[in-house]
Amino acid sequence: MQQVAAAEHSDRDEPRVNKIDFENIWVWLGKGWGDIKSAPGYSLTYGAGIVFISGLITLLLIAGHLTFMVPFLIACFFLVAPLLAIGLYQMSAHLERGESLKTCQALEAFKRNQGQLGIATGFLVMIMQLWILATVFLFIMLFNAPFPTWGNFIPVVFLSGEHNLILISITIVGAFFAACAFCISAITVPMLIDRPIDAFTAMRTSVRAVAVNWVPMLLWATLIVLIVGAGLVTFYIGLFIAVPLVGHATWHAYRDLVPRD
């Protein structure tokens, strides 16, 4: 396995970033699965909580006749997932040190660096808002037919096959914002709960980690989308396993990408 520290150092003496290869990706998933097996009660309970919250929000949208917002909800889930998994990072850190999980709490991890985590959250929320605004703008500019009612919005726009230009444009814009979110958050949250650093340093380090290893990190991002996406298309039930697996694996990705001096 290739594990060579990148030679570049900034003037600010920021954390070093390792060069990885494709083998590392599968190791992260293997270690993530190992963490689940080491503490199934804790990990799977966390996953069950994500399933419950996701299902509840969806039911509330349906009850409020806001079904058209479900696709946006799913897209936003990918943007906020790094924050939702903060408790899983904490579990992996405890397991790595051989500590009991009885005192492991997500709130403990958040309090450790809550101000900087708030800044990172703000950036992700800003990206989410820009994505929504760009999507609405594209829709208004490109949709020439009579505006559909909310009740038939999804069949008319997404399923009719008559608005492919809109779908392609929205997909490209969504992919751009998703790539931005991934670059700044790939390892930011695990780093903030592990080290006494500021959010901007953590986000710059995350961007450097993706840039230095953009080919394997592209595979990692694709696997995240596939694993979490499989959980979403099973009416959220698959998130029971998908979120703990990706969350634990992300901790090990951080530990591989940013070595301790």
Side-chain angles (χ1 to χ4, degrees):
M1 182 189 308
Q2 185 180 8
Q3 194 79 325
V4 181
E8 295 83 9
H9 289 271
S10 70
D11 294 335
R12 292 180 291 270
D13 194 26
E14 294 189 345
R16 292 184 297 120
V17 170
N18 276 341
K19 183 75 174 176
I20 63 165
D21 56 29
F22 291 108
E23 184 180 350
N24 294 80
I25 309 297
W26 308 112
V27 172
W28 300 342
L29 289 172
K31 289 183 176 180
W33 182 249
D35 286 349
I36 293 176
K37 292 195 297 183
S38 297
Y42 293 93
S43 293
L44 298 181
T45 298
Y46 201 97
I50 298 296
V51 172
F52 175 77
I53 293 172
S54 301
L56 179 61
I57 293 174
T58 302
L59 289 175
L60 290 174
L61 290 176
I62 294 174
H65 304 290
L66 299 173
T67 309
F68 68 94
M69 291 188 65
V70 173
F72 294 98
L73 174 69
I74 292 174
C76 291
F77 182 89
F78 284 97
L79 295 181
V80 301
L83 296 165
L84 294 177
I86 189 170
L88 296 166
Y89 309 147
Q90 181 80 341
M91 291 180 202
S92 291
H94 277 250
L95 291 171
E96 188 179 79
R97 296 191 296 264
E99 298 173 356
S100 171
L101 295 184
K102 291 182 179 180
T103 60
C104 179
Q105 298 179 357
L107 186 59
E108 172 196 348
F110 182 78
K111 285 182 176 179
R112 190 173 300 139
N113 206 352
Q114 57 185 327
Q116 302 306 317
L117 284 167
I119 293 174
T121 302
F123 269 83
L124 290 176
V125 170
M126 182 176 65
I127 290 175
M128 181 176 67
Q129 291 175 332
L130 289 174
W131 172 76
I132 293 174
L133 287 174
T135 301
V136 171
F137 177 78
L138 280 173
F139 187 82
I140 293 174
M141 294 298 294
L142 297 176
F143 193 81
N144 297 320
F147 199 85
T149 63
W150 295 129
N152 64 357
F153 182 86
I154 292 178
V156 170
V157 177
F158 291 91
L159 304 179
S160 67
E162 298 176 358
H163 306 287
N164 292 330
L165 178 60
I166 293 177
L167 296 180
I168 292 172
S169 301
I170 290 176
T171 299
I172 293 173
V173 170
F176 169 76
F177 283 107
C180 292
F182 177 74
C183 287
I184 71 169
S185 67
I187 57 172
T188 295
V189 178
M191 195 172 184
L192 285 173
I193 69 172
D194 185 51
R195 305 183 184 207
I197 62 172
D198 63 273
F200 296 103
T201 299
M203 288 188 287
R204 284 195 301 266
T205 304
S206 181
V207 171
R208 284 195 295 119
V210 175
V212 169
N213 303 285
W214 72 271
V215 177
M217 290 303 283
L218 179 61
L219 172 62
W220 177 230
T222 302
L223 289 174
I224 290 175
V225 171
L226 291 177
I227 294 170
V228 176
L232 291 170
V233 299
T234 55
F235 300 99
Y236 307 136
I237 296 175
L239 295 177
F240 178 67
I241 294 290
V243 170
L245 177 60
V246 172
H248 288 307
T250 298
W251 171 262
H252 296 289
Y254 154 67
R255 298 292 282 141
D256 262 2
L257 288 165
V258 187
R260 284 199 175 277
D261 292 329

